[in-house]
Amino acid sequence: MSSPTFACAPAMLSMPERAHIRECASTAAKAFPNGRIIELGTFLGASSQCLCAGADDHISADRPLLVYDAFLTTPDMFYLYPMPVREGESFRALYDLFQHNLLSRMIIREGYMPEDAPLSEASKIYPEQEPISLLFVDLAKSEGVHRSIADIFFPHVAIGGQVIQQDFKHPFSTWLPLHMHALRNHFVPTHDIPGWTVTFRCTRPLTLDAVRSKALHTESLDPAAIESAWDATIQWLNDEGFSSLEAHMELHRAMHLLRAKQWQAVTRACQRAIDFACTSEIDSFSFLPNAQYLAQVLDSYAALSPLPEAEHASALLRKWSESQTTTTEDQIRAALWHQLALRCKADGYHRVALMGGGKHARWLLDTGWPGKCLELVAVLDDVPAELPGIQVCHTEDFHEQVDAIIICSTQVEETLFNRARAVFESRNIPVLPVYSPSLTSNGLLIQSASAPAYSRCTRSPCCS
């Protein structure tokens, strides 16, 4: 019996981030059979799906994934998904719909994580008090909440366990890099993932007293202390081999100084970020929207009162952003196919064939797709014509085993999709459209281990 499929939940996660979460979960399951995997912040559950897929049987009804979220709609969520609920209302039912065949492998604790939670609440928020092999953090939307997370969960992270900080590169979350720098004797960075994620590995035991001794309070720093803290954090990341984060950290510094209304220092930090971005290899996937976001924040301040320095800093960021956003239609398509390859790899589709051997396939192959990401076995067509460097087969004469058939056409995608399904559906080979995901009920599919129906859901009394 083939494994059921489920729709990939909408999220801000990039395809490399999704693949990384799966890999981390797989590593955690193998290295720490008795360790807990915990998800702090889930939205509609894209990260839940990645964690369950990566950990496979390690996450079960006997040792479930622990999921924490308030499940309340905020305005920014409407940009990600047309939420069928109003602002402030619960979207828990929608999460359950996306995760329907995984719910029996979860304990869901619904409610806000408190800021600066008192010690008496720790055992209520995390009653298991067991070693943690993987902690996914997408809930640290304020410094006080991250202090609670550090107090309650960090002391339980096993030596060699991983902490995925999903908002590490987002300039709003200025506290995350500074907190992790303060805890540098216990956590080292291991991965900088295209998107907003940086992952850390625990290297030394961490006690609650050790966490509290670090005084993780950055809101009240004076301007000189802000500059000093960011200098030290950037130097630490450079020393650990993560100089690629320097431009992002300068945007963080700019946001931190903006909150302190140090406008000239903000401009200097923005200029350093741009200079680094122009001369070094950076994660432009997240740096570009981060620069645009910070420019919008600066504009909002300048709109309230004349602030020439804020306007200048915003102009610097906007000018750089505009220089990066001139793209051709072919560049957009190439980026789409690159993301598709990453998504296929993350979802376990390693051997693939293209359906359609016309001009679009020739163009795609000329771009070098799929590189080393996937194994392209063949191009299929009902009227096969030779293509350089790849076997071309008649659709019905292709009998090799592949993980997926990908439709390669901008003009007749639906026709080719229906033709491929007619031939390959009986062989349980997924057929993936690229430009029209609505051709399938789920768009691109994620394979999932079979799971029984909903049977287990609890609420943490401290989070309600």
Side-chain angles (χ1 to χ4, degrees):
M1 180 177 175
S2 61
S3 297
T5 58
F6 56 89
C8 181
M12 281 289 287
L13 296 169
S14 67
M15 291 302 113
E17 285 176 306
R18 294 180 195 230
H20 177 67
I21 293 168
R22 288 174 65 123
E23 289 171 5
C24 287
S26 176
T27 299
K30 294 172 183 174
F32 301 94
N34 297 317
R36 283 285 180 182
I37 297 179
I38 300 177
E39 181 184 21
L40 303 181
T42 185
F43 185 41
L44 296 177
S47 48
S48 302
Q49 293 171 347
C50 294
L51 291 167
C52 287
D56 199 18
D57 293 340
H58 178 76
I59 293 178
S60 64
D62 295 328
R63 182 159 288 275
L65 173 69
L66 304 183
V67 180
Y68 293 74
D69 202 289
F71 296 103
L72 293 177
T73 309
T74 58
D76 58 303
M77 292 177 179
F78 292 94
Y79 293 101
L80 298 175
Y81 189 78
M83 302 289 283
V85 293
R86 290 189 292 269
E87 182 179 342
E89 293 183 342
S90 174
F91 58 87
R92 170 63 189 279
L94 192 58
Y95 175 87
D96 288 356
L97 182 64
F98 275 106
Q99 312 304 320
H100 66 92
N101 62 339
L102 297 176
L103 291 172
S104 65
R105 300 165 65 187
M106 303 175 179
I107 289 179
I108 300 174
R109 294 180 174 144
E110 185 172 350
Y112 283 108
M113 182 72 64
E115 293 195 335
D116 297 307
L119 295 181
S120 60
E121 296 295 298
S123 61
K124 298 177 183 177
I125 295 173
Y126 181 43
E128 291 79 7
Q129 298 287 292
E130 294 175 345
I132 297 170
S133 58
L134 177 58
L135 182 66
F136 174 83
V137 183
D138 190 14
L139 200 67
K141 309 304 182 183
S142 75
E143 183 163 40
V145 167
H146 194 251
R147 282 194 294 266
S148 293
I149 291 170
D151 285 356
I152 296 167
F153 296 97
F154 281 12
H156 296 286
V157 178
I159 303 302
Q162 302 166 95
V163 175
I164 300 176
Q165 291 282 13
Q166 202 276 318
D167 281 327
F168 191 86
K169 284 184 275 184
H170 196 290
F172 181 83
S173 305
T174 56
W175 45 86
L176 289 180
L178 299 182
H179 285 191
M180 297 311 291
H181 172 254
L183 298 171
R184 63 192 178 278
N185 291 331
H186 303 273
F187 294 99
V188 296
T190 58
H191 295 83
D192 170 17
I193 305 301
W196 286 263
T197 295
V198 174
T199 296
F200 296 81
R201 184 180 71 252
C202 183
T203 58
R204 293 176 58 190
L206 183 64
T207 64
L208 176 60
D209 288 341
V211 175
R212 296 236 158 163
S213 71
K214 301 302 179 182
L216 304 178
H217 294 265
T218 67
E219 310 105 316
S220 57
L221 295 177
D222 61 49
I226 292 174
E227 295 277 22
S228 178
W230 283 106
D231 286 344
T233 298
I234 291 171
Q235 186 61 54
W236 166 60
L237 291 170
N238 287 343
D239 291 344
E240 293 290 343
F242 287 84
S243 59
S244 58
L245 291 170
E246 186 164 340
H248 290 85
M249 296 302 101
E250 289 293 354
L251 290 185
H252 279 67
R253 185 203 301 257
M255 178 65 81
H256 201 165
L257 290 164
L258 181 153
R259 291 170 179 154
K261 297 182 171 56
Q262 299 298 305
W263 302 110
Q264 291 184 355
V266 169
T267 302
R268 290 193 296 270
C270 289
Q271 185 64 65
R272 285 193 298 270
I274 293 169
D275 290 345
F276 193 89
C278 290
T279 59
S280 305
E281 185 175 339
I282 63 165
D283 173 16
S284 58
F285 180 91
S286 56
F287 184 79
L288 177 59
N290 285 351
Q292 293 169 333
Y293 168 78
L294 183 54
Q296 291 174 349
V297 175
L298 287 162
D299 287 343
S300 67
Y301 274 89
L304 297 176
S305 61
L307 290 170
E309 296 91 345
E311 293 174 1
H312 179 52
S314 174
L316 286 173
L317 295 171
R318 290 190 182 281
K319 182 178 179 180
W320 181 85
S321 298
E322 289 167 3
S323 73
Q324 304 297 307
T325 54
T326 301
T327 57
T328 66
E329 184 175 347
D330 278 351
Q331 286 174 318
I332 294 171
R333 284 179 177 164
L336 176 63
W337 278 91
H338 177 64
Q339 287 293 307
L340 172 67
L342 294 172
R343 172 67 176 278
C344 286
K345 180 181 179 181
D347 292 350
Y349 301 146
H350 301 294
R351 286 171 51 85
V352 301
L354 294 178
M355 178 70 176
K359 292 181 180 179
H360 197 57
R362 189 175 295 275
W363 164 82
L364 181 62
L365 295 174
D366 284 344
T367 69
W369 192 91
K372 297 180 180 179
C373 197
L374 305 174
E375 180 185 354
L376 180 58
V377 176
V379 175
L380 314 180
D381 201 290
D382 284 350
V383 185
E386 186 176 343
L387 289 170
I390 187 72
Q391 68 164 323
V392 182
C393 300
H394 191 283
T395 308
E396 294 186 352
D397 293 337
F398 183 71
H399 301 293
E400 292 190 47
Q401 184 58 42
V402 292
D403 300 318
I405 306 292
I406 302 174
I407 306 304
C408 184
S409 174
T410 58
Q411 303 297 321
V412 291
E413 185 172 47
E414 184 172 1
T415 300
L416 293 179
F417 174 78
N418 291 331
R419 171 68 171 142
R421 283 219 312 179
V423 176
F424 297 104
E425 192 168 41
S426 62
R427 291 168 54 183
N428 293 320
I429 299 176
V431 178
L432 309 180
V434 177
Y435 301 104
S436 305
S438 59
L439 289 174
T440 63
S441 58
N442 293 334
L444 295 181
L445 303 178
I446 292 182
Q447 298 289 34
S448 146
S450 178
Y454 182 104
S455 65
R456 188 172 190 180
C457 172
T458 65
R459 296 190 183 196
S460 168
C462 69
C463 294
S464 57

